[in-house]
Amino acid sequence: MSDWFVLVATSALCFAIKLLGHFVPERWLSGARLQRINALIPVTLLSALVVAEGLVMKTRIVVDHRLAGLAAALIALVARAPFPVVVVVAAVTSAVVYHLH
Amino acid sequence: MASPPRATLRDALSVSLTVGTYGVAFGAAGIAAGFSVLQTCLFSLLTFTGASQFAAVGVVAAGGAPASAIGAAALLGTRNALYGMQMAPLVRARGLRRIAAAQVTIDESTAVALSQAPRGVAAMRAGFWLTGGGVYLFWNIFTLIGAIGAHALGAPASWGLDAAVPAAFLGLLWPRLENNFLRAVAVAAMAFAIVMTPLVPAGLEIVATVIVAVVVGWRPR
């Protein structure tokens, strides 16, 4: 039930944000401070999501097979692998470590 | 619409196909987070802004509250409003076309539109619509493929799907780390999230890193 709520509310809110941009006068959202903060939000949130998905179980920091996958992804990115390769390398590495344990 | 320049068409198509394939990873992430194939596909059809979609299912997968999932997705979507402001005077759409324009206002359609500037306004407008429409098409096709594939596999950890999700976030983050300042911000946000994790309800540490963006961005550097 809450899955549907997340789906509908996320979709509605994300669409409303997109539509807002097409309706409001440019000067409303063009403040220098707002622009600076907004430019940083993807970096901070994506960083937090890497941690939350790779190291967290509920409210605890847990080191497990996922971290091995993440390390492999990092190596793939440094080696300039394309996105799909990065994801597959992480999955395979994590699965191998998972089954070894 | 007059036929767009070949170069614009080529740019739009290559971006659409490349980005569209990321949809496979989202499809798998949705299933790994416990969403159904239908729900996962609806995310791509309705939400249609990649990072927000990954965030919403990611927070749910991490055991976070619905409000945290929705909040993280909305915050990641705020940049689309800034894109819309830049695109509105360009596409000058009304009524249903404006609704459609808003829905396909994302990183890629805006980037391709702006990159067509040397080829003129018509090419910019064509770049916006072709890329927005192209990504919409391929993103949804590949989401379905990823969701069905992950659903057939089952047991996310056994196939490494639980590591594929943070790897996807790392892959989305990587190209944004253009200089040492942004790399330092990323490291600070990760450290902040680790410290906050045991202190706040599950998933809230993700939304809370907005504090890092506000503190760092408050003053010009």
Side-chain angles (χ1 to χ4, degrees):
Chain A
M1 195 62 229
S2 78
D3 281 0
W4 281 106
F5 176 65
V6 170
L7 167 61
V8 171
T10 297
S11 297
L13 214 51
C14 286
F15 179 71
I17 291 165
K18 287 173 177 170
L19 201 59
L20 180 78
H22 281 260
F23 276 97
V24 302
E26 194 160 352
R27 62 189 157 76
W28 282 21
L29 297 173
S30 60
R33 176 168 288 161
L34 200 67
Q35 297 249 355
R36 282 198 305 274
I37 292 170
N38 197 70
L40 291 173
I41 283 178
V43 171
T44 61
L45 277 182
L46 290 170
S47 301
L49 282 160
V50 171
V51 168
E53 296 302 307
L55 282 171
V56 176
M57 277 287 177
K58 296 283 180 186
T59 61
R60 281 178 36 237
I61 300 292
V62 177
V63 172
D64 58 17
H65 55 280
R66 294 172 300 169
L67 191 61
L70 209 46
L74 187 64
I75 293 167
L77 284 165
V78 170
R80 298 176 180 275
F83 183 88
V85 174
V86 171
V87 173
V88 170
V89 163
V92 170
T93 307
S94 174
V96 168
V97 173
Y98 178 81
H99 287 290
L100 288 177
H101 273 266
Chain B
M1 184 164 59
S3 72
R6 285 183 73 99
T8 305
L9 194 62
R10 193 192 56 220
D11 287 358
L13 194 65
S14 62
V15 169
S16 300
L17 253 177
T18 312
V19 174
T21 56
Y22 289 28
V24 172
F26 175 73
I31 299 303
F35 289 90
S36 67
V37 173
L38 173 67
Q39 288 170 326
T40 302
C41 289
L42 284 175
F43 265 111
S44 285
L45 285 164
L46 301 175
T47 307
F48 188 58
T49 176
S52 296
Q53 292 178 226
F54 271 110
V57 304
V59 173
V60 169
S68 291
I70 298 158
L75 282 166
L76 273 167
T78 52
R79 66 189 190 287
N80 291 331
L82 301 182
Y83 297 156
M85 279 180 347
Q86 292 173 281
M87 293 297 107
L90 189 69
V91 298
R92 277 187 288 168
R94 289 283 174 273
L96 274 179
R97 278 176 70 91
R98 190 181 235 182
I99 302 287
Q103 180 67 336
V104 299
T105 300
I106 52 171
D107 291 329
E108 293 79 17
S109 54
T110 306
V112 172
L114 294 177
S115 74
Q116 303 303 309
R119 300 190 181 116
V121 173
M124 290 176 78
R125 195 175 297 134
F128 173 81
W129 283 112
L130 287 170
T131 311
V135 174
Y136 195 80
L137 178 69
F138 291 118
W139 178 254
N140 279 291
I141 290 172
F142 282 103
T143 297
L144 179 63
I145 293 170
I148 290 175
H151 185 71
L153 292 175
S158 183
W159 295 92
L161 289 182
D162 52 349
V165 179
F169 284 124
L170 193 60
L172 293 172
L173 173 65
W174 200 254
R176 294 178 180 275
L177 304 179
E178 293 158 1
N179 53 50
N180 282 334
F181 169 71
L182 291 172
R183 286 177 208 120
V185 171
V187 171
M190 286 184 188
F192 184 82
I194 289 173
V195 171
M196 291 297 277
T197 294
L199 304 177
V200 297
L204 203 62
E205 76 277 10
I206 299 163
V207 186
T209 48
V210 167
I211 294 167
V212 176
V214 172
V215 169
V216 175
W218 197 256
R219 292 182 187 287
R221 31 174 197 120

